[in-house]
């Protein structure tokens, strides 16, 4: 259950629309079921009343839409940002990807979002309704006689279990109480992989990446991937390809993509959320984040506007590429 | 499709001894794009070059591959050959089959095989080469020197002597800088004013030099040869061209209780002031924070007494725009603040002073007219303790002080100690030091004289605490050699404060896109080979803004910077390196990654309107590379995630083609 | 040395100002290293895009080494500092994917270090030869 | 109708695998199921829904068409086509089986796509009645009965048994090969299962999605509907929907330079991509709205117009489950077409 309700957000959005602060609202729209939420631009109060939704399934990070949308409508866009979305918001501002003046950001608290796959794993397929208004989630399915009660914690998305921050790093207005940056265990899984033998790691990633269908969902949902033209779509780049023709192409795409967002990735977790093949892509990005933190000092992309990403920065005392492994071997 | 000619050089037996050159020429004949392939004993000889020229004509070659020695050896030669044959010189690639093949491999088969592969890689690259033309830009024949200390003065004089106009921007009302405040100079002990003030006069009288005193640089744009600079001339409320510097206003000004910064606040001046007698320009300035007329409109005495009618209370800051071809940074240094060094009781006792204050105390034009008297009671001090390395050579982790050695303190402390013992032989002088560093001409001799002839007591060790007690300063220190604690009752304690770059340096570096180290000293284009140039083309470094230095070093660097400026201004046009980065604006995100890594500040951004697919327009921020400033390192090309940024001559596609050819 | 030792293909990216000159010096001094090493000249080690490295492995390279000026000596002042960070991150990532970390290396070689260049190449070739053929980053389509 | 105890199913698989490659749904480490080649020890998950549809068997994501071997300036053309191997795809849902009809009409009509035809000729499909449709399922909208899937053989699985019925000659042949492991059966159990499935179908949340309002001849009426703006607004332009779709059949033909030659291959393309059908003059669908509209207009208007009213959607629900922003054909049909039957 979210602490801030749909009604509260709806009222806030209506108020800001009515008083002319904003001319449209970027939020989430209800779908066919209780979980298939779509990011949507609402242009008036009537549209909001009809379709606006906020529940445990509003995981989509809407910051990226600002690149295309900010400046498109007459006045400002109202955007609702969960704490993790604010990091993406700042990172996009750092990279001058939209005009801050065209946006009115309202920070909203987030209790963590649910992963529908986990809900299905607990309750089974054929979900006819999910009631998220209570402490526990009440799930009705086609195949069970009575609704099943599930603790929200049991179906929390991976990225929310390892939430890095409940603090909003950007907003014009904050709803609810401000949270804190969390000392999460988000690097544990990376560390587990690091502790494996190279053969085990290779097998792990071979298995994961072999499922890639190169649908580009990870890239297209990623708020760091906002290139006007991606190298993988550019026939002149030398790496363009439309399909994961073999295991090399799978690796090439994911290594280069992770490298291109290294130091810029805020660890929002959208890549893994949207992957139709459930590849834990965030573990690639987190590896870069973990390395960067260890090599060059803690850095959180998007924590402040204008900060210089570690890979476009240096000190004269940086460690040598060869020392990376000495360090690790010594720690082991 | 290119029409490529391949020329395989024997280099006598240097190559032909280990590489079957005929086989190489034969193998490369079949490569895509190659229409002609041959070999010759000495490709770099006149005959060899003529052979290339003829082949270009005969076979209509559009590209050339020379398989020969290192491109570091003869790339320029063959580029000239190509140009002479009417080809663009950048259509030439060299396959290094001597240094990196025949000379390092013994076996003919191995050498030949590798030579063929290197040749294939060069062919693959030439297939993607495009003619490149170096850009040209005009040079504004005027230099700007920022900072009017001895560094700036010397640089300006040298440039002006070469016949180029120079402007000096000095933020203080007069030029002269720190040197003007010094008493004597080491190791010759000649009077600073005696050698500096004539140079200041030279500056004032030089027709090629303009002085913007009491002025600051507020904006810099443009690039080497073509800088646009905005200079703020702060209102001094005195018409500079009318004031005769007679000093009548100074005498009559009723507000006389303003701490005199020239004497480091050890005495007072009037609200309207001339910093010191030999100031250049010798023009009065009204301190708006002290002047009653400016603060509340009550007074106006100076205007009444000024016979020349130079006072103008309504004067406003004036902004001057000027174009320059070169900019010299000479912003100098300051002693660091002693606020954090409470153990020395600097803030508690007037008799704990810095070395620069000591200079003023011993200077004939200083607050005590050159007599060494204690600031607290005007008495002659009998025991003086000098403390070296205050804030220099500190631990990296220390909260206060600097890691580096301030370089000049050892020598000036020796000077102070020696002069004190010379003038006042009854004075006990102690110097506490970590090391005494005297590597300079006549420096060590000077220091030894202080110890041996003048009996200065040098003690290796640090002062732990200074406690004022009555009219004494209790100095607690350790003598590391004797391994004992010392307690000295001193009358005066002089702290050799570390020096740091002037506060104005960092904002200036930002304006100039010049890089700085973590201590805010400007960095050189190359620490050994280009020590007076900033990595930003057209920006030069003079004096202590680049690192601690003494006067002779400063003057020599100032001269070196001037000669670099003269070399630049002597050119009518600047020809760039054509192998520069370029951004494809259609793919550029405007994210600034490239500008972040550019060591030269060659990348700027502009808002550009693009037609969108849905027939609307969108304004996007895109990177623009200034080819006159870019040096072609390629750092930006890798920082750019979209691949919009590429490097001419070493394009992504070219390097990948080489990789492919080598790996196939 | 074994007779049938695997002959690996090594791509060496050398910066124009230091390492390429160092390689030339190795030649001047006739310091031998295996012919499997093929040098590609780049203006600065910071010109080396991770895509080039992966491309080399795709096309059949068994090892890739990047040589640049010593930190602090970069002709462009800071290029190799960026190289250092980028490659530290990239190599760590390759290792994380289970790809042999010995196949990639960064080495600082000055224009005066011909001997170091030759020794580095000898060592690198030996190390990579011991690993054998690059299997984990290969592209079967590019096999002959 | 033949039946067999599930205890013996591995023997059945072993028997089939003797003569043909056998592919069936297997659970993956991420919890989803995918078709994998059966080998001794492979466990059939019985999963009905796979992330990737079985269209991959006839129209794989990448497929080499020919090769060019280059040496210097010489180019040699190499025909890489081979006579395909026989294979069996086991456990295909009704909707997915239906998708083959849709693909056939594209690839088997003149000019016949020989690569597809080759695979089709060598493949035997064993379908499986769908007893547990998901909430995202709406096959009924397209007249598909999940209890009666087509295919060469139809199978019904209960807790303990599996029933087979051959529908084609190919199916008969395969059944005869496993005859020793199966026995004759009446259709009582199957009938009961069909009834059970019918009951579930009536409970499905999307049971009322209708194709009314779509079909051939509707281009002018639907093309400029204002709703397209709103529907396409959040589309990220990724290719997830097209790549998991069992009926999407667009591909690109590309050349891959191997260094020693060129491989000409085809790979799936997506009408969602900005590069799709790019031509010398540029691109004929410049905005995401146009690309988005194309996908649904094709499935619901253009395709039926050219194919006797057959829609090129089978209601499998994959795009509903997998779209990163949960925009899908059902939402489009409801918005553009109308709510209920």
């Amino acid at each position: 259950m979210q602490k801030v309700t749909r009604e509260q957000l709806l009222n806030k959005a209506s108020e800001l629309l009515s008083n002319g602060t904003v001319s449209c609202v970027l939020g989430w729209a209800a779908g066919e079921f209780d979980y298939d939420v779509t990011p949507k631009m609402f242009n008036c109060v009537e549209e909001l009343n009809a379709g606006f939704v906020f529940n445990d399934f509003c995981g989509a990070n809407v910051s990226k839409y600002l690149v295309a949308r900010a400046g498109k409508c007459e006045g400002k866009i109202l955007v609702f940002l969960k704490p993790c979305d604010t990091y993406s918001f700042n990172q996009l501002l750092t990279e001058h990807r939209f005009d801050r003046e065209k946006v009115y950001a309202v920070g909203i608290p987030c209790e963590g979002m649910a992963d529908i796959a986990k809900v299905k794993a607990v309750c089974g397929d054929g979900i006819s309704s999910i009631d998220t208004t209570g402490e526990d989630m009440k799930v009705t399915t086609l195949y069970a006689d009575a609704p099943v009660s599930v603790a929200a914690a049991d179906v929390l998305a991976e990225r929310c279990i390892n939430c890095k921050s409940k603090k909003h790093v950007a907003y014009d207005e904050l709803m609810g109480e401000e949270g804190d940056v969390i000392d999460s265990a988000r690097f544990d899984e990376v560390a587990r992989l690091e502790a494996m033998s190279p053969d085990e790691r290779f097998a792990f990633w071979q298995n994961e990446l072999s499922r890639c269908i190169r649908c580009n969902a990870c890239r297209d949902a990623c708020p760091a991937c906002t290139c006007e033209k991606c190298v993988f779509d550019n026939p002149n780049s030398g790496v363009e390809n439309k399909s994961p023709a073999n295991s090399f192409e799978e690796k090439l795409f994911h290594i280069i993509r992770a490298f291109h967002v290294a130091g810029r990735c805020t660890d929002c977790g959208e890549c893994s959320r949207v992957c139709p093949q459930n590849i834990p892509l965030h573990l690639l990005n987190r590896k870069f984040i973990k390395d960067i933190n260890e090599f060059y000092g803690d850095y959180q992309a998007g924590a402040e506007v204008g900060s210089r990403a570690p890979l476009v920065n240096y000190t004269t005392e940086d460690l040598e590429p060869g020392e990376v492994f000495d360090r690790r071997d010594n720690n082991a | 499709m290119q029409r490529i000619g391949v020329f395989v050089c024997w280099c006598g037996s240097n190559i032909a001894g280990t590489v079957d050159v005929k086989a190489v020429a034969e193998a490369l004949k079949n490569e895509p794009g190659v229409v002609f392939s041959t070999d010759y004993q000495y490709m770099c000889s006149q005959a060899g070059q003529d052979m290339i020229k003829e082949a270009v004509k005969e076979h209509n070659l559009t590209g050339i591959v020379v398989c020969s020695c290192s491109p570091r050896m003869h790339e320029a030669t063959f580029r000239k050959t190509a140009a002479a044959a009417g080809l663009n010189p950048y259509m030439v690639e060299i396959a290094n089959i001597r240094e990196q093949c025949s000379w390092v491999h013994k076996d003919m088969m191995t050498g030949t095989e590798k030579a063929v592969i290197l040749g294939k890689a060069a062919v693959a690259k030439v297939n993607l080469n495009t003619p490149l033309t170096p850009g040209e830009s005009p040079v504004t024949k005027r230099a700007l020197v920022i900072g009017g200390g001895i560094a700036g003065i010397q640089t300006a004089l040298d440039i002006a002597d070469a016949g180029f106009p120079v402007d000096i921007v000095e933020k203080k009302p007069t030029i002269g800088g720190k040197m003007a405040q010094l008493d004597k100079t080491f190791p010759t002990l000649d009077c600073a004013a005696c050698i500096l003030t004539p140079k200041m006069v030279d500056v004032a009288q030089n027709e090629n030099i303009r002085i913007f005193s009491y002025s600051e640089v507020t904006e810099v744009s443009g690039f080497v040869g073509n800088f646009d600079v905005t200079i703020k001339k702060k209102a001094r409320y005195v018409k500079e061209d009318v004031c005769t510097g007679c000093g009548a206003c100074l005498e009559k000004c009723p507000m006389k209780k303003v701490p005199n910064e020239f004497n480091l606040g050890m005495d007072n001046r009037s609200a309207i002031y001339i910093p010191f007698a030999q100031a250049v320009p010798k023009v009065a300035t009204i301190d708006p924070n002290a002047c009653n007329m400016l603060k509340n409109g009550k007074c106006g005495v100076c205007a009444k007494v000024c016979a020349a009618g130079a006072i103008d209370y309504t004067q406003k800051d004036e902004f001057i725009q000027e174009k320059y071809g070169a900019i010299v940074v000479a912003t100098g240094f300051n002693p660091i603040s002693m606020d954090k060094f409470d153990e020395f009781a600097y803030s508690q006792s007037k008799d704990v002073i810095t070395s620069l204050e000591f200079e003023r105390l011993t200077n004939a034009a200083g607050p005590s007219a050159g007599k060494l008297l204690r600031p607290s009671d005007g008495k002659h001090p009998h025991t003086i303790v000098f403390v070296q390395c205050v804030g220099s050579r500190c631990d990296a982790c220390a909260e206060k002080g600097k890691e580096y050695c301030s370089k000049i303190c050892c020598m000036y402390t020796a000077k102070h100690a020696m002069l004190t013992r010379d003038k006042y032989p009854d004075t006990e002088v102690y110097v506490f030091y970590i090391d005494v560093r005297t590597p300079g001409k006549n420096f060590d001799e000077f220091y030894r004289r202080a110890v041996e002839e003048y009996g200065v007591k040098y003690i290796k060790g640090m002062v732990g605490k200074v406690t004022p007690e009555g009219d004494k300063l209790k100095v607690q220190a350790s003598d590391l050699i004797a391994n004992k604690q010392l307690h000295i009752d001193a009358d005066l304690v002089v702290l050799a404060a570390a020096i740091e770059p002037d506060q104005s340096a960092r904002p200036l570096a930002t304006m100039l896109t010049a890089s700085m180290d973590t201590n805010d000293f400007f960095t050189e284009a190359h620490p050994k080979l280009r020590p007076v140039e900033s990595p930003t083309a057209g920006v030069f470094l003079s004096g202590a803004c680049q690192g601690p230095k003494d006067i002779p070093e400063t003057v020599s660097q100032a001269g070196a910077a001037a000669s670099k400026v003269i070399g630049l201004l002597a050119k009518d046009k600047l020809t760039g390196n054509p192998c520069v980065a370029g951004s494809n604006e259609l793919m550029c995100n405007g994210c600034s990654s490239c500008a972040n890594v550019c060591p030269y500040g060659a990348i700027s951004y502009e808002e550009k309107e693009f037609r969108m697919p849905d027939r609307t327009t969108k304004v996007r921020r895109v990177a623009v590379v200034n080819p006159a400033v870019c040096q072609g390192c390629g750092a930006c090309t890798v920082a750019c995630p979209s691949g919009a940024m590429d490097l001419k001559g070493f394009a992504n596609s070219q390097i990948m083609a080489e990789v492919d050819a080598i790996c196939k | 040395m074994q007779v049938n030792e695997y002959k690996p293909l090594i791509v060496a990216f050398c910066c124009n100002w230091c390492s390429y000159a160092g390689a030339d010096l190795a030649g001047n001094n006739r310091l031998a290293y295996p012919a499997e090493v093929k040098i590609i000249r780049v203006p600065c080690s910071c010109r080396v895009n991770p895509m080039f490295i992966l491309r080399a492995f795709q096309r059949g390279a068994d090892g890739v080494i990047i040589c640049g000026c010593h930190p602090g000596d970069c002709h462009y002042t800071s290029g190799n500092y960026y190289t250092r960070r980028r490659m530290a991150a990239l190599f760590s990532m390759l290792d994380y994917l289970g790809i042999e970390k010995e196949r990639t290396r960064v080495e600082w070689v000055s224009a005066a270090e011909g001997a170091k260049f030759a020794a580095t190449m000898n060592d690198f070739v030996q190390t990579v030869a011991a690993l054998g053929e690059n299997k984990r980053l290969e592209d079967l389509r590019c096999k002959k | 109708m033949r039946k067999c105890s599930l205890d013996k199913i591995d023997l059945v698989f072993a028997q089939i695998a003797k003569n043909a490659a056998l592919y069936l749904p297997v659970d993956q480490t991420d919890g989803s199921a995918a078709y994998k080649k059966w080998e001794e020890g492979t466990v059939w998950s019985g999963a009905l829904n796979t992330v990737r549809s079985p269209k991959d068997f006839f129209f794989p994501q990448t497929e080499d068409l020919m090769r060019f071997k280059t040496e210097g300036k010489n180019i040699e053309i190499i025909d890489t086509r081979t006579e395909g191997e026989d294979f069996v795809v086991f456990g295909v849902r009704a909707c997915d089986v239906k998708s083959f009809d849709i693909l056939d009409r594209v690839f088997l009509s003149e000019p016949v796509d020989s690569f597809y035809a080759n695979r089709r000729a060598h493949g035997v499909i064993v379908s499986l009645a769908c007893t547990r449709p998901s909430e995202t399922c709406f096959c009924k909208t397209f007249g598909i009965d999940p209890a009666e899937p087509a295919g060469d053989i139809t199978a019904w699985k209960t807790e303990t048994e599996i029933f087979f019925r051959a529908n084609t000659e190919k199916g008969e042949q395969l059944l005869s090969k496993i005859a020793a492991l199966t026995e004759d059966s009446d259709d009582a159990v199957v009938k009961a299962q069909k009834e059970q499935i019918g009951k579930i179908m009536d409970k499905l949340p999307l049971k009322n999605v209708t194709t009314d309002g779509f079909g051939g001849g509707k281009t002018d009426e639907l093309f400029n509907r204002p709703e397209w703006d709103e529907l396409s607004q959040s589309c990220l332009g990724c290719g997830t929907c097209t790549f998991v779709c069992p009926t999407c059949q667009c591909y690109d033909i590309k050349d891959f330079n191997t260094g020693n030659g060129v491989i000409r291959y085809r790979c799936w393309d997506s009408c969602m991509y900005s590069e799709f059908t790019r031509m010398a003059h540029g691109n004929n669908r410049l905005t995401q709205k146009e690309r988005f509209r194309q996908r649904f207009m094709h499935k619901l208007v253009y395709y039926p117009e050219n194919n006797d009213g057959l829609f090129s959607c089978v209601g499998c629900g994959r795009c509903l489950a997998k779209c990163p922003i949960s925009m899908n054909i059902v939402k489009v049909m409801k918005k553009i077409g109308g709510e209920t039957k």
Side-chain angles (χ1 to χ4, degrees), chain A residues 180-303:
Chain A
D180 292 315
V181 172
I182 300 167
D183 188 15
S184 78
R186 61 184 172 136
F187 298 121
D188 287 3
E189 185 63 10
V190 176
R192 190 180 72 79
L193 288 173
E194 286 172 342
M196 288 180 176
S197 73
D199 290 350
E200 288 169 330
R201 279 201 297 273
F202 186 73
F204 173 86
W205 282 112
Q206 195 80 350
N207 172 47
E208 295 295 342
L209 295 180
S210 68
R211 291 200 303 278
C212 175
I213 55 172
R214 255 309 267 294
C215 60
N216 294 324
C218 50
R219 179 193 73 184
D220 293 345
C222 173
C225 273
T226 64
C227 280
E228 293 294 322
K229 180 123 195 144
C230 174
V231 287
F232 288 100
D233 286 348
N234 179 359
N236 300 321
S237 71
V239 293
E240 180 246 8
N241 206 333
K242 276 187 178 144
S243 69
N246 59 22
S247 74
F248 177 84
E249 294 279 2
E250 288 156 8
K251 292 192 200 93
L252 175 74
F253 177 76
H254 291 290
I255 294 171
I256 295 296
R257 199 184 91 76
F259 185 82
H260 279 179
V261 300
R264 305 165 51 230
C265 165
T266 63
D267 200 10
C268 76
E270 282 288 85
C271 46
S272 292
R273 178 182 73 84
V274 301
C275 179
Q277 290 282 45
N278 303 318
I279 304 171
L281 294 164
H282 65 281
L283 293 179
L284 294 174
N285 301 319
R286 270 190 198 159
K287 167 65 176 167
F288 272 131
I289 297 172
K290 181 170 180 281
D291 277 353
I292 283 170
N293 285 349
E294 285 174 11
F295 301 167
Y296 313 119
D298 285 352
Y299 178 82
Q300 172 61 51

Side-chain angles (χ1 to χ4, degrees), chain D residues 10 14-15 24 57 78 80 86 89 104 110 117 123 132 137 203 206 231 237 297 301:
Chain D
D10 282 325
Q15 184 61 32
L24 41 70
F57 293 107
I78 300 166
T80 55
D86 288 335
V89 188
D104 283 351
E110 283 302 326
R132 283 181 84 85
C137 291
K203 292 205 291 185
L206 301 180
L231 287 165
M297 286 294 282
V301 179

Side-chain angles (χ1 to χ4, degrees), chain C residues 9-120:
Chain C
L9 174 59
I10 306 292
V11 175
F13 291 99
C14 291
C15 87
N16 182 51
W17 306 96
C18 286
S19 308
Y20 194 88
D24 280 355
L25 184 61
N28 286 324
N29 296 337
R30 310 297 197 274
L31 301 170
Y33 54 88
E36 287 76 50
V37 176
K38 310 286 191 306
I39 296 168
I40 292 177
R41 184 166 67 125
V42 285
C44 175
S45 59
C46 71
R47 178 67 188 90
V48 179
N49 195 311
M51 291 196 280
F52 304 162
I53 297 169
L54 295 179
R55 177 86 165 200
F57 283 122
Q58 177 187 28
R59 303 285 154 154
D62 300 303
V64 176
I65 182 165
I66 295 158
C67 301
C69 309
H70 284 269
D73 290 346
C74 177
H75 178 79
Y76 306 99
T77 46
S78 52
N80 52 5
Y81 289 132
Y82 295 117
T83 310
R84 191 158 68 171
R85 282 206 171 186
R86 289 168 185 164
M87 295 308 149
L90 178 72
F91 293 176
S92 178
M93 175 56 78
L94 293 178
D95 171 69
Y96 182 66
L97 293 173
I99 293 149
E100 303 94 333
K101 61 178 191 276
E102 294 84 0
R103 291 194 189 276
T104 44
R105 193 182 286 189
V106 167
E107 202 72 56
W108 312 124
V109 180
S110 81
E113 293 175 326
K116 181 179 181 186
F117 184 85
T120 300

Side-chain angles (χ1 to χ4, degrees), chain D residues 49-85:
Chain D
N49 201 352
T50 51
V51 178
R52 298 179 72 144
S53 86
K55 90 174 167 190
D56 301 27
F57 293 107
F58 306 106
F59 176 46
Q61 185 162 13
T62 56
E63 180 170 33
D64 290 354
L65 303 179
M66 60 165 95
R67 281 176 181 249
F68 308 92
K69 194 164 183 285
T70 54
E71 213 167 335
K73 289 169 195 151
N74 299 320
I75 300 176
E76 186 191 336
I77 299 172
I78 300 166
D79 188 347
T80 55
R81 279 176 297 180
T82 50
E83 185 63 33
E85 59 164 4

Side-chain angles (χ1 to χ4, degrees), chain B residues 138-145 159-160 163-168 207-212 223-229 231 320-328 538 540 565-566 568-571:
Chain B
V139 179
T140 304
K141 294 186 180 266
R142 176 189 297 279
L144 172 65
V145 175
I159 297 170
F164 295 107
V166 193
D167 292 347
I168 298 179
E207 285 182 351
N208 278 332
I209 301 179
R210 279 194 295 181
I211 302 170
F212 294 102
F223 54 94
V224 56
N226 297 278
F227 292 106
D228 287 298
V229 179
I231 298 162
I320 295 159
Q321 306 265 349
E322 190 60 85
K323 281 182 171 299
Y324 297 99
I327 298 177
V328 182
F540 302 88
V565 170
I566 294 162
L568 171 62
L569 298 189
K571 290 177 186 158

Side-chain angles (χ1 to χ4, degrees), chain B residues 274-572:
Chain B
I274 295 174
F276 59 100
Q278 297 86 3
V280 169
K282 195 166 183 194
V283 174
T285 305
I286 300 180
D287 180 345
N289 297 318
C291 171
N292 275 327
M293 187 65 189
L294 289 173
K295 284 202 295 191
N296 46 36
K298 288 180 189 143
C299 185
V301 170
C302 50
K304 283 181 203 130
V305 299
C306 182
I311 308 295
D312 175 7
Y313 298 117
T314 64
Q315 212 174 54
K316 293 265 170 338
D317 291 350
E318 191 186 342
F319 288 87
I320 295 159
Q321 306 265 349
E322 190 60 85
K323 281 182 171 299
Y324 297 99
I327 298 177
V328 182
V329 181
T331 44
F333 72 95
N334 279 307
I336 62 169
S337 155
M338 289 288 101
D339 289 352
K340 283 187 183 165
F341 295 86
D342 244 12
E343 63 267 37
F344 301 119
Y346 179 79
S347 56
Q348 297 156 43
S349 168
K350 279 187 160 182
D351 298 331
V352 179
I353 59 173
T354 66
S355 299
L356 193 57
E357 285 164 351
F358 188 86
E359 290 282 352
R360 294 312 301 155
L361 276 186
T362 51
N363 191 300
S368 54
K371 290 197 191 69
L372 183 56
L373 301 173
R374 298 198 335 161
S376 61
D377 51 15
K379 286 187 189 154
H380 172 60
H382 292 282
T383 307
I384 304 180
V385 169
F386 288 91
V387 186
Q388 289 202 182
C389 292
V390 178
S392 294
R393 304 174 70 195
C394 291
D395 282 347
C397 44
E399 282 167 24
K400 57 189 186 180
K402 309 288 180 185
E403 256 187 278
Y404 53 82
C405 166
S406 295
K407 198 171 181 181
I408 55 174
C409 328
C410 286
M411 285 304 291
Y412 70 59
T413 302
K415 175 188 76 178
H416 292 163
M418 187 190 284
L419 288 173
T420 307
R421 290 281 299 162
D422 187 42
K423 271 196 193 167
Y424 312 100
D426 61 331
T427 316
E428 290 274 314
V429 176
Y430 297 90
V431 176
F432 285 90
Y433 66 96
I434 307 177
D435 298 295
V436 177
R437 296 181 166 179
T438 53
K441 191 173 164 187
N442 294 328
F443 281 16
D444 205 55
E445 296 90 316
F446 184 81
Y447 153 62
R448 284 211 308 270
R449 238 163 69 216
V451 179
E452 291 160 12
E453 285 179 32
Y454 289 89
V456 177
K457 296 189 174 102
Y458 267 78
I459 299 168
K460 185 175 175 77
M462 203 51 197
V463 170
K465 200 163 172 54
V466 176
T467 322
E469 225 178 274
D471 63 347
K472 289 287 180 193
L473 296 161
K474 298 271 185 199
V475 177
Q476 215 180 316
S478 51
D479 180 336
L480 291 177
I481 292 171
N483 196 18
K484 61 176 184 186
Q485 288 292 311
L486 296 178
H487 296 273
I488 298 169
D489 283 352
D491 298 314
L492 189 68
V493 170
V494 184
L495 307 176
I499 59 173
E500 66 181 358
D502 191 77
Q503 303 268 310
S504 63
R506 183 154 283 274
L508 181 65
T510 309
M511 279 187 255
L512 293 169
T513 63
S515 45
M516 290 190 128
D517 63 21
T518 47
N519 292 314
D520 281 9
F521 286 115
F522 281 85
T523 41
E524 318 80 2
H526 191 282
K528 286 115 196 166
L529 303 177
R530 296 170 68 193
V532 299
E533 291 156 83
S534 148
T536 303
V539 176
F540 302 88
L541 309 175
S542 175
C545 69
Q546 179 255 344
K549 11 183 112 52
D550 60 25
I551 294 165
E553 269 188 308
T554 297
V555 170
S556 46
Q557 202 199 15
S563 78
K564 288 282 171 193
V565 170
I566 294 162
L568 171 62
L569 298 189
K571 290 177 186 158
D572 292 327

